[in-house]
Amino acid sequence: MKKILLSLVFFSSVLFSKEGFVTYKVDAKEYEAYISSPSKNAPLVFLVHDWDGLTDYEVKRAKMLNKMGYATFAVDLYGKGVRPEKLEDKKRLTTQLYKDREKMKTLLFAGLNEAKDQGLNVKNSLGIGYCFGGAAILEFARAGAELKKFVSFHGGLQTPKGEDYSKTKGDIVVFHGSADKVVSMQEFATLAQELEKAGIKHEMTSYSGAPHAFTVFGTKKYYESADKSSWRRFSEILEDTLKE
């Protein structure tokens, strides 16, 4: 009987495991997220893509998390099939969302709702973002999203005028390169002061020599030591935050 019960539990988990793209709609427009889940009720990582959209990079990170026992919902903030390659297109798409924060928040919350509809464990979840996605995940924190932590990898750190962290429900974690020429160390320090004043628990780490986008494999900006160190610390945060 014990073997039968264990087998049923195993097959139930296998049947629930998910890997692939899912299409959903927000305001009649199609979006395409990526889901990777090893088992039913696996702790969830809500992931926001870089400025080139949801690409193989986010899929690779999702698969890495899957092997560690975590589910991932990689949200799409651009629209199905919108994966810009030219610099001007990347700037145009991110600028549109930076100028329309309400739309950004609508897309983020719609993604989290889709994750819930897909049966993912949104009650035991945290959010992460890379570069543009790092700025977006902090926007999600300021909007009061129900996530346990909000983790930014080399993301934008400035708080828009008129916004603050008064609605934030989770802790803030920032991984930043001190050689970043896009987001300054002054912005890094200003955010730390802002979070301290607001009473938001936070952890902020800078890596010497690391430029902007230091985690992006296969690029000139990839900085191995900072990528591995930040991922190692992030793995510890996952274990501490999402264990039940």
Side-chain angles (χ1 to χ4, degrees), residues 194-229:
E194 185 179 354
L195 294 173
E196 189 68 30
K197 184 177 180 180
I200 303 297
K201 291 183 178 179
H202 58 282
E203 176 180 326
M204 300 177 65
T205 305
S206 64
Y207 298 96
S208 61
H212 193 64
F214 64 80
T215 70
V216 185
F217 310 112
T219 67
K220 292 181 179 180
K221 292 184 176 181
Y222 181 68
Y223 203 81
E224 185 176 17
S225 62
D227 174 48
K228 289 185 175 180
S229 293

Side-chain angles (χ1 to χ4, degrees), residues 71-90:
T72 299
F73 183 92
V75 67
D76 174 16
L77 299 189
Y78 287 168
K80 186 175 182 178
V82 182
R83 304 293 180 259
E85 296 183 1
K86 294 181 179 180
L87 182 63
E88 57 265 32
D89 292 330
K90 296 175 185 178

Side-chain angles (χ1 to χ4, degrees), residues 138-209:
L138 294 181
E139 185 70 41
F140 210 22
R142 292 190 295 270
E146 297 279 355
L147 298 174
K148 293 182 177 180
K149 278 189 172 67
F150 300 86
V151 184
S152 170
F153 288 87
H154 44 78
L157 304 178
Q158 283 189 330
T159 302
K161 186 177 181 180
E163 293 191 20
D164 58 37
Y165 285 86
S166 60
K167 295 180 181 178
T168 301
K169 295 184 172 72
D171 300 348
I172 302 295
V173 179
V174 173
F175 297 116
H176 182 70
S178 56
D180 192 326
K181 294 182 180 180
V182 177
V183 181
S184 70
M185 286 301 294
Q186 182 58 55
E187 291 172 77
F188 179 85
T190 297
L191 177 60
Q193 293 170 341
E194 185 179 354
L195 294 173
E196 189 68 30
K197 184 177 180 180
I200 303 297
K201 291 183 178 179
H202 58 282
E203 176 180 326
M204 300 177 65
T205 305
S206 64
Y207 298 96
S208 61

Side-chain angles (χ1 to χ4, degrees), residues 38-84:
S39 61
K40 186 176 182 180
N41 292 325
L44 175 65
V45 176
F46 183 81
L47 187 154
V48 189
H49 57 74
D50 197 350
W51 73 339
D52 53 354
L54 206 172
T55 66
D56 290 344
Y57 177 78
E58 288 77 22
V59 171
K60 182 173 182 177
R61 290 291 183 185
K63 290 183 176 181
M64 289 169 64
L65 289 164
N66 187 304
K67 290 181 180 180
M68 295 163 61
Y70 300 98
T72 299
F73 183 92
V75 67
D76 174 16
L77 299 189
Y78 287 168
K80 186 175 182 178
V82 182
R83 304 293 180 259

